[in-house]
Amino acid sequence: MGLSFLLLFRFSNPLEIAPKSNFLLSFSPSGMNAAVRAVVRMGIYVGAKVYFIHEGYQGMVDGGDNIEEATWESVSSMLQIGGTVIGSARCKEFRTHEGRLKAALNLVQHGITNLCVIGGDGSLTGANLFREEWSGLLTELVEQGAIEEESVQKYSALHIVGMVGSIDNDFCGTDMTIGTDSALHRIIEVVDAIMTTAQSHQRTFVLEVMGRHCGYLALVSALACGADWVLIPEMPPEDGWEDKMCQKLFATRSRGTRLNIIIVAEGAIDRHGKPITSSLVKDLVVKNLGFDTRVTILGHVQRGGTPSAFDRILASRMGVEAVLALLETTANTPACVVSLSGNQSVRLPLMECVQMTQAVQKAMDEKRFEDAVKLRGRSFQNNLRTYKLLAHRKPESDLPSNFNVAVLNVGAPAAGMNAAVRSAVRVGISQGHKMFAVSDGFEGFSKGQIKEVKWSDVGGWTGQGGSLLGTKRTLPAKYVEKIAEQMKKHNINALLVVGGFEALESLLQLYDARRSFEEFCIPMCILPATISNNVPGTDLSIGADTALNAIVETCDRIKQSASGTKRRVFIIETMGGYCGYLASVGGLASGADAVYIYEEPFDIRDLQANVEHLTEKMKTSIQRGLVLRNENSNDNYTTDFIYQLYSEEGKGVFDCRKNVLGHMQQGGAPSPFDRNFGTKISAKAMQWITNKLQETFRQGRVFANTEDTCCLLGMRRRALVFQPVVQLKDETDFVHRIPKEQWWLKLRPLMKILAKYKTSYDVSDYGILEHVVGSRPKELDAAVAM
């Protein structure tokens, strides 16, 4: 039962929630420190006194110096550090009644009756058992004379909130656990490095990743790199898989591919429960095919490293929600776990989640593998379904050529576009369509830069940054007649557009053109892909996560450059047009002291207040400051102006440096999130297109002229939703190219709280305890968290 961190709070209560006695937080994958920081600072914000408990349950049992008061400054400069700075340890003693009795005594002596636990199902189950025994433990301590009778009344109930920290993502009830995304980053970094050498030498690589009981890491990394074969414990291969795998590898190699990748979860088994090891797979390939084959076992490298932007944001949001949940608990409130559903944080009964997680293992032990996959949740099911669609090619003879579907990129390049195109092509082919790729957006469309693409043409595209098809910002209105001619010439029956705000504008223009050109009376769909994340109709866009990671990595390096120097403040300019998503969320992930965006107007008084606030912090504690500014946040208060203002006002306390990140935010290999998000929503879009084609095919032709045949597919809160583009017009500020309402603005108060500002925090979306079964809408086929 590894646990690492405990906090104690006493409340002065600015949130106007009934104060409790004290509470304790206990936590070692990457991202844990962001959760520690968020809980400590949110606890102090609500008027609490906060304690660390070092070395997890062991520290709770041992007490003494393991219980240490936490301060605001004690969690500074820890966002970029992997693992957990307060330590974690497995504790056999806590499994015993005597150990839990010692732990109870230590908590009572510090007045702790609220516990936040970050761990897996074992740690959380142990915490819940501790909670159930609490009153009995106190009675026993009174009988032993260790505590006074009044302590039983004063500390009568132990309240628990859990957060799940595990790289395996093996806990039911949450789409993503803290640490999983960072582990995927480590895996994909290795895979990308291996692919370059393997392609040069015609090699087959067998990669073993962690996952004793859960194949999530193996499955998602297989999707992210386009692996030829994946072996996971939840869905063992059918008997005879050895020959089928070798046939697949031979067929792939015979089509000119120089690289084969097989990913094996460490707990992979066959249908009879026999382990499938990476060495076994290698021997099979060498014996049956004679391919040069190497094994790479990633091991604990997956647990380490700097946490990803996603994990920092997830952990920060979950940490704040955990504090709010503890503030609202009563003696009758069951222990809950803070989870991620789609793009929302939710609270679920802890033991419901634990029981569901244990039910997965039971199903696997009983060889009910289909049930095990279902119990893992819709996200896991969809990952598996999508992988099968993309990795296992059907014989051409089985695929009747029904319709012609064109795919193109529009707008600025965004990492993940190529993964989306690959997915569209392969899913389209598997559904019997002819797929056509259009180069250079609508400008290329008008020039006839259209060609049919086959299954193998998009091999290896998932890890490529930018746009391999080529993309331009040109809108179709000026070329509409020529585009209609090309659509008629190639008999295009459906259109998939992968792009940013220009993609929305383009389909609005094509929808209007239906009145003049029947060629546009076909199903059309947009997949939002832009680093700015400024497309209406979706909470997230393909490419934004990669850009966030570039911002966070750069900010980490910039802050590190000041290590050991005098106090220094960095002014960083991010991209995003008029949309402040990158600046705000990047600021939350990198621990910014202030973030300036267009959506939240500011004046010279605000700038002066920020300078004074940072100056005060510099005098008392921190050595480095970070200020982010969105490129179009204000015409007059430019990056140079803010830099000069901070430099002038900070004289004698700190000096300043500035950095404009520029187009580096658009480049680089796509993150695991963007690869998988692009892959899955593209597969869903192609299934929608197929259904619309079948619905609108009449008398030998496709004719679609209704609003619901020209849609954008976006993530809205917890679900992927198809929305008619004409209905998005009212949600759009076309002058500034942003949605009129943006969900991430609710994160700005959180960022300010964690930077030590006093501000109001909207808790209207919180407080409802849901249930594991029925907590996910039917439409949710692909979670935001991959």
Side-chain angles (χ1 to χ4, degrees):
M1 295 182 185
L3 209 73
S4 39
F5 168 55
L6 302 141
L7 305 170
L8 158 68
F9 306 113
R10 286 192 177 89
F11 306 105
S12 59
N13 206 27
L15 288 183
E16 298 182 0
I17 300 171
K20 300 276 185 272
S21 53
N22 306 324
F23 59 94
L24 174 88
L25 183 129
S26 123
F27 291 175
S28 268
S30 291
M32 291 297 96
N33 289 322
V36 171
R37 173 178 177 268
V39 178
V40 169
R41 292 193 168 178
M42 189 64 181
I44 292 172
Y45 169 78
V46 298
K49 189 176 182 182
V50 185
Y51 286 87
F52 296 135
I53 292 188
H54 296 277
E55 312 308 331
Y57 282 133
Q58 189 66 57
M60 194 181 352
V61 171
D62 293 343
D65 293 340
N66 288 301
I67 301 177
E68 174 195 10
E69 184 175 352
T71 64
W72 192 275
E73 293 74 23
S74 64
V75 292
S76 296
S77 302
M78 66 191 306
L79 274 171
Q80 71 275 16
I81 301 173
T84 168
V85 297
I86 48 111
S88 177
R90 297 187 181 276
C91 179
K92 291 182 179 179
E93 195 172 359
F94 191 75
R95 296 175 184 267
T96 67
H97 180 79
E98 292 74 16
R100 293 191 291 275
L101 191 66
K102 291 180 183 178
L105 176 60
N106 288 324
L107 298 195
V108 169
Q109 287 175 341
H110 287 85
I112 298 172
T113 58
N114 296 270
L115 176 67
C116 178
V117 183
I118 299 187
D121 61 329
S123 298
L124 297 175
T125 302
N128 192 63
L129 174 62
F130 190 40
R131 168 182 172 271
E132 291 173 346
E133 293 181 343
W134 181 257
S135 60
L137 293 171
L138 296 195
T139 300
E140 194 171 338
L141 289 171
V142 171
E143 292 172 353
Q144 293 177 359
I147 62 174
E148 300 295 329
E149 181 70 40
E150 62 183 29
S151 295
V152 177
Q153 298 299 321
K154 189 175 181 180
Y155 308 119
S156 59
L158 180 68
H159 306 289
I160 290 176
V161 170
M163 286 185 277
V164 190
S166 166
I167 69 165
D168 292 335
N169 201 31
D170 57 352
F171 193 82
C172 294
T174 186
D175 290 339
M176 188 70 105
T177 57
I178 299 169
T180 302
D181 187 66
S182 298
L184 285 169
H185 273 257
R186 303 292 89 77
I187 295 169
I188 295 305
E189 286 167 7
V190 172
V191 172
D192 286 351
I194 282 174
M195 288 179 77
T196 56
T197 183
Q199 286 173 337
S200 302
H201 296 279
Q202 289 199 12
R203 281 181 179 156
T204 297
F205 268 88
V206 181
L207 271 71
E208 182 181 304
V209 302
M210 284 187 165
R212 270 185 309 158
H213 305 297
C214 180
Y216 184 87
L217 287 179
L219 180 56
V220 174
S221 56
L223 265 175
C225 70
D228 297 279
W229 203 269
V230 64
L231 295 156
I232 59 174
E234 290 90 346
M235 186 53 67
E238 300 288 346
D239 290 346
W241 65 272
E242 298 92 339
D243 291 337
K244 290 179 182 177
M245 181 186 71
C246 290
Q247 289 168 10
K248 166 78 186 301
L249 297 177
F250 180 79
T252 303
R253 189 67 67 90
S254 65
R255 290 193 293 269
T257 301
R258 302 174 65 85
L259 164 70
N260 297 116
I261 290 183
I262 303 164
I263 296 184
V264 183
E266 62 179 341
I269 54 174
D270 64 16
R271 289 272 160 175
H272 308 288
K274 181 181 176 182
I276 300 176
T277 64
S278 51
S279 58
L280 172 66
V281 174
K282 175 196 171 182
D283 292 342
L284 276 170
V285 175
V286 173
K287 178 182 177 182
N288 294 350
L289 299 174
F291 290 173
D292 183 5
T293 306
R294 308 295 170 90
V295 172
T296 298
I297 300 175
L298 272 67
H300 281 75
V301 69
Q302 296 158 87
R303 293 190 182 276
T306 300
S308 67
F310 183 97
D311 270 333
R312 299 186 197 195
I313 297 159
L314 174 65
S316 296
R317 292 177 68 185
M318 297 301 100
V320 168
E321 173 67 5
V323 173
L324 295 175
L326 281 172
L327 284 166
E328 297 166 8
T329 55
T330 67
N332 299 320
T333 304
C336 77
V337 62
V338 178
S339 302
L340 183 71
S341 176
N343 197 30
Q344 284 189 293
S345 57
V346 297
R347 301 177 193 172
L348 301 172
L350 188 154
M351 289 314 296
E352 281 188 20
C353 297
V354 169
Q355 288 160 8
M356 183 77 79
T357 303
Q358 293 171 346
V360 176
Q361 188 59 50
K362 183 179 179 184
M364 291 165 61
D365 292 341
E366 295 173 356
K367 297 184 172 54
R368 294 184 288 109
F369 299 113
E370 295 286 348
D371 290 342
V373 171
K374 290 179 182 177
L375 288 167
R376 281 281 181 225
R378 287 188 177 272
S379 179
F380 191 93
Q381 291 179 71
N382 193 59
N383 281 320
L384 186 57
R385 188 185 312 118
T386 305
Y387 175 78
K388 289 179 178 178
L389 269 176
L390 298 175
H392 301 293
R393 181 178 182 176
K394 295 179 181 178
E396 298 290 341
S397 58
D398 294 347
L399 303 173
S401 182
N402 297 324
F403 302 104
N404 295 344
V405 180
V407 58
L408 71 160
N409 295 335
V410 177
M417 277 184 162
N418 298 320
V421 172
R422 170 186 176 269
S423 177
V425 168
R426 292 196 169 181
V427 173
I429 290 172
S430 72
Q431 294 179 337
H433 309 316
K434 278 188 178 180
M435 298 299 299
F436 289 82
V438 181
S439 299
D440 298 334
F442 283 107
E443 188 174 326
F445 211 141
S446 69
K447 296 176 181 178
Q449 295 173 208
I450 306 166
K451 66 175 183 178
E452 185 180 355
V453 282
K454 302 290 187 179
W455 186 281
S456 57
D457 293 336
V458 291
W461 279 34
T462 53
Q464 299 292 314
S467 167
L468 293 174
L469 288 184
T471 182
K472 291 191 175 182
R473 296 179 182 270
T474 310
L475 300 180
K478 62 188 291 188
Y479 301 112
V480 67
E481 189 171 344
K482 291 182 179 179
I483 293 171
E485 290 175 4
Q486 292 296 332
M487 294 187 76
K488 185 174 182 180
K489 177 181 177 181
H490 291 88
N491 189 28
I492 301 300
N493 306 121
L495 191 62
L496 180 66
V497 181
V498 184
F501 198 89
E502 293 85 359
L504 174 64
E505 294 178 303
S506 296
L507 255 63
L508 283 169
Q509 292 178 1
L510 294 184
Y511 180 83
D512 289 340
R514 283 177 168 180
R515 290 173 291 192
S516 304
F517 299 93
E518 286 192 357
E519 287 81 3
F520 300 120
C521 293
I522 59 174
M524 295 185 282
C525 185
I526 303 169
L527 299 181
T530 167
I531 70 166
S532 301
N533 198 35
N534 64 329
V535 180
T538 188
D539 291 349
L540 294 167
S541 299
I542 301 166
D545 183 73
T546 303
L548 276 176
N549 278 285
I551 292 168
V552 168
E553 182 181 348
T554 304
C555 288
D556 285 350
R557 292 185 179 186
I558 287 171
K559 288 163 69 177
Q560 189 180 43
S561 72
S563 179
T565 67
K566 59 184 177 181
R567 294 181 174 91
R568 182 165 289 168
V569 174
F570 297 94
I571 315 296
I572 310 295
E573 180 184 302
T574 68
M575 294 178 78
Y578 285 96
C579 180
Y581 175 82
L582 288 180
S584 293
V585 181
L588 176 61
S590 54
D593 296 280
V595 176
Y596 301 112
I597 62 171
Y598 167 78
E599 292 91 342
E600 192 174 284
F602 57 96
D603 57 25
I604 193 65
R605 289 178 293 275
D606 298 313
L607 290 169
Q608 184 65 32
N610 294 153
V611 173
E612 292 172 356
H613 180 79
L614 189 53
T615 301
E616 191 61 33
K617 287 203 295 183
M618 283 283 188
K619 288 178 179 178
T620 57
S621 56
I622 65 171
Q623 300 293 313
R624 290 163 287 179
L626 183 65
V627 175
L628 269 62
R629 177 188 176 273
N630 169 243
E631 58 184 349
N632 288 344
S633 57
N634 190 288
D635 290 338
N636 297 310
Y637 301 133
T638 63
T639 301
D640 283 336
F641 178 91
I642 293 174
Y643 163 70
Q644 291 167 7
L645 176 67
Y646 273 76
S647 297
E648 179 65 27
E649 297 299 318
K651 279 184 177 178
V653 180
F654 59 81
D655 64 0
C656 281
R657 297 289 187 272
K658 67 176 178 178
N659 195 304
V660 178
L661 299 185
H663 283 77
M664 66 172 291
Q665 296 158 85
Q666 281 186 309
S671 68
F673 181 97
D674 279 331
R675 299 183 195 199
N676 286 279
F677 189 50
T679 296
K680 292 202 293 188
I681 68 168
S682 186
K684 188 173 179 68
M686 284 305 304
Q687 291 164 343
W688 177 87
I689 283 174
T690 297
N691 291 335
K692 291 298 179 184
L693 285 169
Q694 293 168 350
E695 291 173 9
T696 58
F697 185 71
R698 299 288 185 274
Q699 298 177 343
R701 58 173 291 197
V702 173
F703 186 80
N705 66 346
T706 56
E707 288 185 359
D708 66 348
T709 58
C710 184
C711 288
L712 178 145
L713 174 58
M715 169 63 70
R716 301 300 289 263
R717 295 170 71 89
R718 301 196 200 182
L720 285 173
V721 182
F722 289 95
Q723 300 148 98
V725 293
V726 292
Q727 295 179 14
L728 294 174
K729 291 170 81 171
D730 292 338
E731 299 180 23
T732 307
D733 175 353
F734 284 97
V735 175
H736 298 100
R737 297 162 57 87
I738 56 175
K740 291 179 180 177
E741 293 186 7
Q742 303 188 82
W743 69 271
W744 52 265
L745 287 170
K746 289 189 174 183
L747 297 180
R748 285 186 60 81
L750 166 58
M751 181 200 69
K752 292 177 182 179
I753 288 169
L754 298 181
K756 212 173 184 178
Y757 285 91
K758 290 296 182 183
T759 185
S760 60
Y761 187 63
D762 182 7
V763 296
S764 59
D765 288 341
Y766 303 105
I768 300 173
L769 188 65
E770 302 183 10
H771 295 279
V772 180
V773 178
S775 67
R776 306 292 191 273
K778 292 181 179 178
E779 310 96 292
L780 184 57
D781 287 333
V784 63
M786 295 181 290

